[in-house]
Amino acid sequence: MRDDADPADLSIIEEVSRLVGVECSSTTVRSILSAYGDTLAQAVLAFRVATSKRNAGGLDCRFTMLPPDLDPYAVALSHGLIEATDHPVGSLLGELHAGFPIGFSGIDFGVVGGFKKTWSFFPLDDLKPLSELVALKSMPAGAAANLDLFTRYGVAGKVSLVGIDYRHRSVNVYFGAAPASVFRPEVLTSLLKEAGLPAPSERLLRFATGAFGIYATLTWDSPKVERITIAAMTDDPLSLPVPVEPDIADFLKNAPYRTDGRPSVYAITVAPGGEYHKLQSYYRWRPQVETTLLVPDSR
């Protein structure tokens, strides 16, 4: 792996940062690009903005479709992008990659705060049931505590990817091939209630009618579900059946892209404090991404 930064990637990240009014730390971004070197050359690149207080004033960059044999957390550690820890968040990715086949990996980082997350995607023909993942020693206890809940709602059978947030010490579990029934208003309302989260807004219920994905956020601090997110893939988020948040709409109108069309993932997250919106806009795209995200329900 060549250990240097791609000036083109650095340039576009700086450009998008200016677009959203975020002061990009070029030194931080350059150190991350250099750490992963030429593994990023053919990677998919997306930018993410969100309306939550935790994400206010920030811009995240996401590189995915990194080689399956790459350990992105080990790279981050060896290049000083993150500090080693004896918390289970530091050992989960190693257990995950040792125990299961990985289709490809990914990373997230903030243009200000630096390295944040890793992503581990399972092969499309070998998605894993949550019942197997909960056996990992470092998996948050909330995964096992809510296994029955997710099983009853028909989403636990096929996990398509796992995201590990090192900064906030949480895990995202994405449920692939989620049945259409889970997006129905009465079913989604019931799921959120049983998960101990606020009732969905009418806005979310309308949005869910066109959604493809659902994922849960779990932590080591509580057995409860921290958040549930509903996501929709679209070439035109402004055409969704709900109003797009103004800040996100402004970004959409001007965000650069090097793709056929403007593929985006728009999501609404339900957290204890209420709902917030997120947009992932793809700058550099590969068709396999859509195949991975839009896993068909074959049951």
Side-chain angles (χ1 to χ4, degrees):
M1 181 168 63
R2 193 180 70 247
D3 192 31
D4 58 5
D6 184 334
D9 282 348
L10 177 59
S11 177
I12 195 62
I13 291 170
E14 291 174 333
E15 178 184 338
V16 176
S17 298
R18 288 191 293 270
L19 174 66
V20 297
V22 175
E23 188 171 348
C24 172
S25 171
S26 297
T27 301
T28 296
V29 173
R30 187 180 291 107
S31 67
I32 295 171
L33 299 181
S34 295
Y36 291 91
D38 56 9
T39 63
L40 303 180
Q42 300 301 317
V44 169
L45 171 57
F47 296 100
R48 177 182 171 276
V49 292
T51 61
S52 66
K53 290 182 179 179
R54 189 174 76 176
N55 294 282
L59 172 69
D60 286 351
C61 305
R62 177 170 298 175
F63 283 92
T64 53
M65 302 206 78
L66 305 184
D69 57 350
L70 177 75
D71 182 333
Y73 179 61
V75 173
L77 283 175
S78 65
H79 286 81
L81 304 180
I82 193 171
E83 294 184 0
T85 177
D86 57 3
H87 187 278
V89 72
S91 52
L92 179 57
L93 185 137
E95 295 176 12
L96 192 65
H97 285 214
F100 303 99
I102 301 298
F104 57 90
S105 296
I107 59 168
D108 271 18
F109 60 89
V111 300
V112 177
F115 184 84
K116 286 186 174 182
K117 301 178 182 179
T118 60
W119 300 97
S120 300
F121 295 75
F122 298 120
L124 286 178
D125 60 355
D126 198 11
L127 303 185
K128 294 302 174 184
L130 184 59
S131 59
E132 292 186 15
L133 298 181
V134 300
L136 296 175
K137 180 180 179 181
S138 296
M139 198 72 175
N146 292 282
L147 176 59
D148 178 64
L149 170 68
F150 294 130
T151 300
R152 283 189 287 107
Y153 282 89
V155 298
K158 295 181 178 180
V159 174
S160 56
L161 66 143
V162 176
I164 305 172
D165 186 327
Y166 297 91
R167 182 177 301 177
H168 297 108
R169 292 185 171 178
S170 63
V171 171
N172 291 337
V173 177
Y174 285 68
F175 301 113
S181 60
V182 79
F183 301 109
R184 295 173 186 162
E186 68 278 10
V187 178
L188 182 56
T189 299
S190 177
L191 170 59
L192 292 172
K193 181 177 180 180
E194 287 198 53
L197 293 168
S201 65
E202 287 299 319
R203 189 178 185 181
L204 172 55
L205 293 178
R206 289 197 307 274
F207 173 78
T209 60
F212 77 89
I214 178 170
Y215 66 89
T217 302
L218 308 163
T219 72
W220 286 268
D221 297 329
S222 169
K224 295 182 178 180
V225 177
E226 182 76 9
R227 297 185 295 276
I228 286 180
T229 299
I230 306 297
M233 175 165 277
T234 175
D235 281 338
D236 182 12
L238 298 178
S239 70
L240 291 170
V242 297
V244 172
E245 290 295 299
D247 290 348
I248 292 179
D250 288 343
F251 173 69
L252 276 170
K253 293 172 183 176
N254 300 293
Y257 59 99
R258 285 177 51 194
T259 61
D260 293 330
R262 301 191 64 172
S264 302
V265 173
Y266 196 89
I268 299 180
T269 294
V270 183
E275 295 176 9
Y276 61 90
H277 293 221
K278 300 182 283 191
L279 173 80
Q280 184 168 300
S281 177
Y282 287 89
Y283 171 73
R284 193 164 63 226
W285 172 261
R286 288 168 66 181
Q288 296 97 317
V289 176
E290 185 170 14
T291 304
T292 301
L293 294 176
L294 301 179
V295 179
D297 181 4
S298 59
R299 289 172 298 172

